[in-house]
Amino acid sequence: MTGPRVRAAAERLFARHGYAAVSMRQIAAEVGIGAGALYHYTPDKQALLRDMMRSHLDDLLSAWAQADPGGEAVARLDAFARFHIRFHLDRPDAVFIAYMELRSLEPETFAEIEALRKQYEAVPEAILLDGLQSGVMQVTDVKLGSMALIAMLTGVNTWYRDGGRLDRAAVEDVYARMALGMVGVQTVAV
Amino acid sequence: MTGPRVRAAAERLFARHGYAAVSMRQIAAEVGIGAGALYHYTPDKQALLRDMMRSHLDDLLSAWAQADPGGEAVARLDAFARFHIRFHLDRPDAVFIAYMELRSLEPETFAEIEALRKQYEAVPEAILLDGLQSGVMQVTDVKLGSMALIAMLTGVNTWYRDGGRLDRAAVEDVYARMALGMVGVQTVAV
DNA sequence: GTCTATAGGGGGATAGAC
DNA sequence: GTCTATCCCCCTATAGAC
């Protein structure tokens, strides 16, 4: 069971201090083994980062595949906004790493991770395109709308703390409404 | 004139590789001097980071003080969205560092920088509050609206490249419209 | 599967010559 | 104001004992 503990320690430390600032010795100390023993669980430090980013994005894509209600664009965008916030708030460390450590990846790995990210960006793009074509949404540019939406939703991770003024459900409500307004869908006041 | 070149080199390298990953020797090499000579221009590495973050946020606040048209909330939010995108696209390295290297700051410096960031977050908060009170905007939560707006606008820096499909003016138009829609202001189709 | 020891390389920062 | 030399520390990764 040491392997998963190594990955968990690496994830927490990378998120807190950054990949470059964390040493293999720190990770080993967190797990309670010597630095040399780490190399039974990973070929090197880079592989730790690569594997956590890859599995994070794989999880994200398959979780949406499960959560996607399909159907009409407005309901689907509402579902997407709530899904994105929930999924990201559940994994703050993995999310932080996935967005901040792209530059720490070696080129081939970077390309692979970028491809997964683009797959996810295609999700709101498809919803917005559908909403535009069916006339229920007004969005000037589907790609920009998708990027704006993802940035807005992911931003929740930078300030949300459990036990704060609003709970997760309330945050979801507020953001889902803003997400719809952003693409021209007006909702009743809450 | 070596001081400014040191700061410029540090900014570029920190943005590209991260504070922790950049060595004083690399910065010196970029400037064309030896590592020892750097210490005539900065007391230490941390001061390079602190000064660039402080001056970036000072510039941001004073630039908005200049750009703020005042007056009615809808026009002011439109101006804010355009200002934010323009200011941030002009300084991608400084912006990246200001958002990513907060964790590399020593505690007192972190508190000081956070205070400046909160001052800036108060700008859209005030606009949204005004728009809410005058009835021209519908936003469920002023604080969340402000955070969502800033995250959405800053997100442009992650994908915009000069020479791409849309120029800066077009991006401003699209985002200003989404920003208004987000807070319940419907605009005519573009 | 973990340890200790070590190879081989950099790191930040300082001292003193010029 | 810059250089070279250096202090002392830490790094990743490997080797070989247990």
Side-chain angles (χ1 to χ4, degrees), chain B residues 2 33-34 40-41:
Chain B
T2 310
I33 59 177
H40 285 286
Y41 304 101

Side-chain angles (χ1 to χ4, degrees), chain B:
Chain B
M1 321 301 96
T2 310
R5 291 180 56 226
V6 168
R7 287 186 282 280
E11 180 172 290
R12 192 169 48 251
L13 289 168
F14 288 169
R16 195 105 64 215
H17 307 291
Y19 175 77
V22 173
S23 71
M24 294 299 265
R25 283 171 173 83
Q26 274 177 276
I27 297 170
E30 188 95 349
V31 176
I33 59 177
L38 276 184
Y39 292 85
H40 285 286
Y41 304 101
T42 179
D44 53 30
K45 190 181 172 187
Q46 175 77 200
L48 283 174
L49 180 61
R50 176 179 61 234
D51 293 350
M52 74 181 66
M53 293 188 66
R54 193 148 44 192
S55 68
H56 170 67
L57 289 169
D58 284 344
D59 288 353
L60 176 61
L61 288 167
S62 59
W64 171 250
Q66 284 291 318
D68 184 359
E72 188 272 325
V74 169
R76 213 166 155 223
L77 184 58
D78 182 87
F80 175 78
R82 293 170 187 275
F83 162 80
H84 186 100
I85 290 173
R86 201 173 307 138
F87 186 91
H88 283 64
L89 282 183
D90 280 342
R91 306 161 172 75
D93 288 345
V95 168
F96 200 73
I97 292 166
Y99 279 80
M100 312 272 275
E101 299 295 356
L102 286 169
R103 64 185 170 193
S104 302
L105 293 174
E106 282 153 8
E108 306 107 46
T109 314
F110 177 82
E112 182 200 334
I113 298 295
E114 270 294 290
L116 291 172
R117 257 172 38 102
K118 283 205 194 306
Q119 269 187 55
Y120 186 66
E121 287 164 12
V123 168
E125 275 173 34
I127 299 174
L128 265 47
L129 187 60
D130 178 26
L132 194 61
Q133 289 173 343
S134 63
V136 294
M137 294 177 183
Q138 284 124 42
V139 52
T140 315
D141 188 288
V142 165
K143 285 223 179 265
L144 269 59
S146 177
M147 296 307 286
L149 187 62
I150 289 174
M152 174 183 107
L153 297 172
T154 306
V156 173
N157 273 50
T158 65
W159 58 263
Y160 180 85
R161 297 293 171 269
D162 279 320
R165 182 168 57 88
L166 299 173
D167 64 16
R168 294 180 184 218
V171 172
E172 275 183 34
D173 288 343
V174 174
Y175 270 77
R177 188 166 181 240
M178 290 192 287
L180 291 170
M182 205 171 91
V183 296
V185 180
Q186 287 311 294
T187 49
V188 289
V190 177

